[in-house]
Amino acid sequence: MKIVYADDSKMWRAVLRDFLISKGHDVVVANDGLEAYFKIHEVLPEVVISDVVMPGLNGYQLCRLLKNDPNFSSIPILLLTASSESLDKFWSKYSGANAYIQKDSENGFNLIDSKLQEMEKNSSLKLPNSENGKRAFGDTLDKLLVETSLRGEVRRLFNHVEDMNYTIRKINDLLKEIFEIKAMALLSISVDEMNLYSSISDHEFLEKWMLSQLSRPSYPQKRNYVSIDGENEHEEFAWISKVISFDSKEQGVVAIWRDRAFSDRENNSLSIISEELGGILKIGSQLEGYRRNANFDDLTGLANYRALEEKLRVLWNDGKDFVLSIIDIDHFKKVNDTYGHAIGNEVLASIGRILENSAEKFNSFAARFGGEEFLIISERNENFFEFIDDIRQKIEKSHLSKSVPELVVTISGGIAERDDSKSFTEVVEMADQALYQAKESGRNKVIVHANE
């Protein structure tokens, strides 16, 4: 076999070269890793043997350079060292070497011969034509520099991953700087949620198109759309897209558009960026999951009691006026007893969606207070009664259970204002008193607490 052997030891170069020639191999020696790199491009060897500890380019570095070059990644590499430390064995494997042999080990030369026979037997090399080694070395360093720089720029964004909106906007800024794009879209998916960040106006098209690029179908229940950097059309633009993965699991899709075609080099650069984005989306999704578990009710999707208490505390400490309502599902125990808890949960989830949508339109805060009770807070006193009573009517007219479409559910509500209360707990108690009056006076109504 044709072999390039690199070693900075004159004695070892001579001894091992003679041994390899005696076994019928054609051997080219190099004094260090850099010289070996150039000679590899010139003679196109079938095997590379390299010492680990050498000045300039060491054996690990030589190995990584070759394994990262698609033209030479299939060349078997055998690393030699006088060290017996386990850490050297680890780095040998990590650098991509095919074999690692301790120079001073017993039967060391026999081990080298055995490995070479094994490599020759299993060889399936596809080598390029000979080219100038120094130019190839420069090209490889350029690629590594670009890759390292791109990965470094994206990894900086991990510092802001707790705020995904900010992080995505910084990703957009980075993509604009690198590719001079006109528009960007990034889809982030989890088990039950999809977030689409985009500067393209047609969200319906984007959602369908980007989800279709995933190898596994995804049908998230919750969909969020966030516009970035204005709203643009996409029909006249060239585009490229990449699936974003982390640990072999798909995390989303990134796509970019501009008014001219993208080169292969730019396409490869976006691939590098998308690899790093996988970790950002994964961690961002996990943080959001922790945040939701800490502050949101799983069944209804509304804020939980902890988040509700924090909201009230902030309003109170800031000295802001507010009005709140406690609503309770009428005869909910009967629903559970008659139809079962699964239907009861379906009703709770449906009411949660109604409250969430209504609260968003009225610029208010909705939370699950506990059991079948909910609480809504607003800094707008005007029309608050009409707002709550509209929710009451909407719930009464809605089909809250797909399984039992004939089921009719009503609610009762109590309203109280901050006014001269001494604590937010007192405001909640006043609303609860008004709720009790609504229950006692026939249910399916809303009553405002009367201040004495």
Side-chain angles (χ1 to χ4, degrees):
M1 288 193 299
K2 189 185 296 184
I3 298 173
V4 168
Y5 168 45
D7 202 313
D8 64 329
S9 168
K10 184 176 180 180
M11 182 272 291
W12 270 101
R13 285 200 306 272
V15 172
L16 186 55
R17 176 181 176 276
D18 290 346
F19 172 76
L20 294 173
I21 291 175
S22 72
K23 294 296 181 178
H25 300 295
D26 181 7
V27 184
V28 176
V29 295
N31 297 324
D32 54 43
L34 189 57
E35 184 181 353
Y37 186 84
F38 297 152
K39 288 188 175 182
I40 287 167
H41 283 80
E42 293 169 2
V43 304
L44 304 178
E46 297 168 271
V47 174
V48 172
I49 300 176
S50 175
D51 185 27
V52 169
V53 181
M54 296 183 291
L57 195 68
N58 65 37
Y60 297 139
Q61 294 166 337
L62 174 63
C63 188
R64 290 299 297 273
L65 281 172
L66 294 174
K67 292 300 181 181
N68 279 311
D69 188 332
N71 291 319
F72 297 99
S73 59
S74 62
I75 296 180
I77 301 175
L78 195 161
L79 290 182
L80 304 176
T81 182
S83 172
S84 61
E85 292 187 10
S86 58
L87 189 60
D88 287 316
K89 295 179 181 178
F90 166 79
W91 282 113
S92 173
K93 181 179 179 181
Y94 185 79
S95 65
N98 299 79
Y100 171 93
I101 294 177
Q102 189 179 340
K103 281 183 176 180
D104 297 331
S105 62
E106 187 176 355
N107 298 319
F109 278 22
N110 290 332
L111 288 174
I112 293 173
D113 184 45
S114 175
K115 285 293 181 184
L116 289 175
Q117 291 182 39
E118 181 182 333
M119 290 174 178
E120 185 175 24
K121 182 179 179 180
N122 299 323
S123 177
S124 58
L125 282 178
K126 294 182 179 179
L127 293 173
N129 294 327
S130 179
E131 60 179 303
N132 184 275
K134 292 184 179 180
R135 183 173 63 81
F137 182 64
D139 291 343
T140 301
L141 287 182
D142 283 344
K143 290 179 182 178
L144 290 176
L145 178 60
V146 169
E147 178 175 345
T148 301
S149 299
L150 287 175
R151 293 187 187 279
E153 287 298 318
V154 179
R155 287 173 184 175
R156 292 177 193 272
L157 300 176
F158 274 99
N159 296 328
H160 310 288
V161 75
E162 74 283 353
D163 184 349
M164 283 304 294
N165 284 338
Y166 177 83
T167 300
I168 298 299
R169 294 181 188 281
K170 297 304 270 185
I171 291 171
N172 182 46
D173 292 342
L174 180 62
L175 294 175
K176 288 175 71 174
E177 183 178 0
I178 295 172
F179 302 103
E180 298 180 337
I181 60 173
K182 298 294 184 181
M184 183 276 281
L186 190 146
L187 177 77
S188 172
I189 58 169
S190 60
V191 175
D192 57 357
E193 187 173 8
M194 177 202 82
N195 294 292
L196 178 57
Y197 306 87
S198 172
S199 54
I200 295 291
S201 56
D202 192 347
H203 289 163
E204 185 177 345
F205 156 77
L206 280 178
E207 177 186 335
K208 184 177 180 180
W209 175 65
M210 298 183 86
L211 285 175
S212 71
Q213 296 189 58
L214 303 174
S215 60
R216 291 186 176 184
S218 179
Y219 308 100
Q221 294 181 351
K222 188 172 182 180
R223 289 167 162 81
N224 301 311
Y225 303 98
V226 181
S227 295
I228 297 176
D229 200 24
E231 295 287 340
N232 300 306
E233 301 299 328
H234 65 279
E235 287 85 352
E236 303 300 322
F237 293 150
W239 59 270
I240 49 175
S241 66
K242 300 292 177 183
V243 173
I244 301 170
S245 300
F246 181 80
D247 196 20
S248 300
K249 295 182 180 179
E250 294 173 333
Q251 302 296 320
V253 180
V254 61
I256 55 178
W257 289 261
R258 74 180 186 192
D259 52 8
R260 64 184 189 278
F262 293 90
S263 67
D264 290 340
R265 185 182 179 190
E266 289 173 319
N267 189 51
N268 292 334
S269 294
L270 186 61
S271 296
I272 293 169
I273 291 172
S274 67
E275 290 174 9
E276 295 301 324
L277 290 179
I280 289 179
L281 295 190
K282 176 67 175 178
I283 294 176
S285 176
Q286 288 178 332
L287 289 175
E288 182 60 27
Y290 299 150
R291 191 179 294 118
R292 289 192 64 83
N293 289 336
N295 296 293
F296 289 86
D297 176 63
D298 287 338
L299 180 59
T300 64
L302 298 176
N304 60 18
Y305 185 81
R306 177 188 300 179
L308 168 64
E309 190 175 42
E310 179 62 22
K311 176 70 174 180
L312 286 168
R313 182 176 290 108
V314 169
L315 288 172
W316 189 267
N317 292 339
D318 289 348
K320 294 184 177 180
D321 290 328
F322 62 88
V323 59
L324 61 82
S325 173
I326 299 177
I327 66 174
D328 182 79
I329 303 175
D330 297 328
H331 302 298
F332 187 66
K333 184 177 184 302
K334 185 177 179 180
V335 173
N336 281 330
D337 291 345
T338 304
Y339 301 103
H341 288 280
I343 302 302
N345 287 343
E346 195 175 354
V347 169
L348 288 170
S350 296
I351 290 178
R353 286 192 291 271
I354 292 173
L355 293 181
E356 183 178 23
N357 293 332
S358 299
E360 184 177 351
K361 294 177 181 177
F362 197 77
N363 193 26
S364 56
F365 178 89
R368 188 177 182 185
F369 194 45
E372 64 269 28
E373 287 189 328
F374 302 85
L375 196 146
I376 301 175
I377 309 169
S378 177
E379 296 180 50
R380 289 176 53 191
N381 190 355
E382 183 182 0
N383 299 325
F384 188 73
F385 173 84
E386 289 78 7
F387 165 57
I388 298 299
D389 196 58
D390 180 67
I391 291 176
R392 178 192 64 79
Q393 296 177 49
K394 192 175 296 182
I395 289 174
E396 184 179 14
K397 296 175 183 177
S398 298
H399 298 289
L400 303 178
S401 170
K402 294 180 180 179
S403 305
V404 188
E406 70 276 11
L407 178 62
V408 176
V409 173
T410 63
I411 64 167
S412 300
I415 296 176
E417 299 180 52
R418 173 172 180 160
D419 283 343
D420 298 325
S421 303
K422 297 179 180 179
S423 70
F424 64 77
T425 301
E426 187 176 322
V427 185
V428 174
E429 289 176 348
M430 290 190 297
D432 195 45
Q433 292 170 12
L435 171 63
Y436 178 78
Q437 293 175 27
K439 293 279 191 182
E440 287 293 300
S441 60
R443 303 176 191 269
N444 193 22
K445 62 178 63 175
V446 178
I447 290 181
V448 179
H449 182 269
N451 292 324
E452 298 180 357

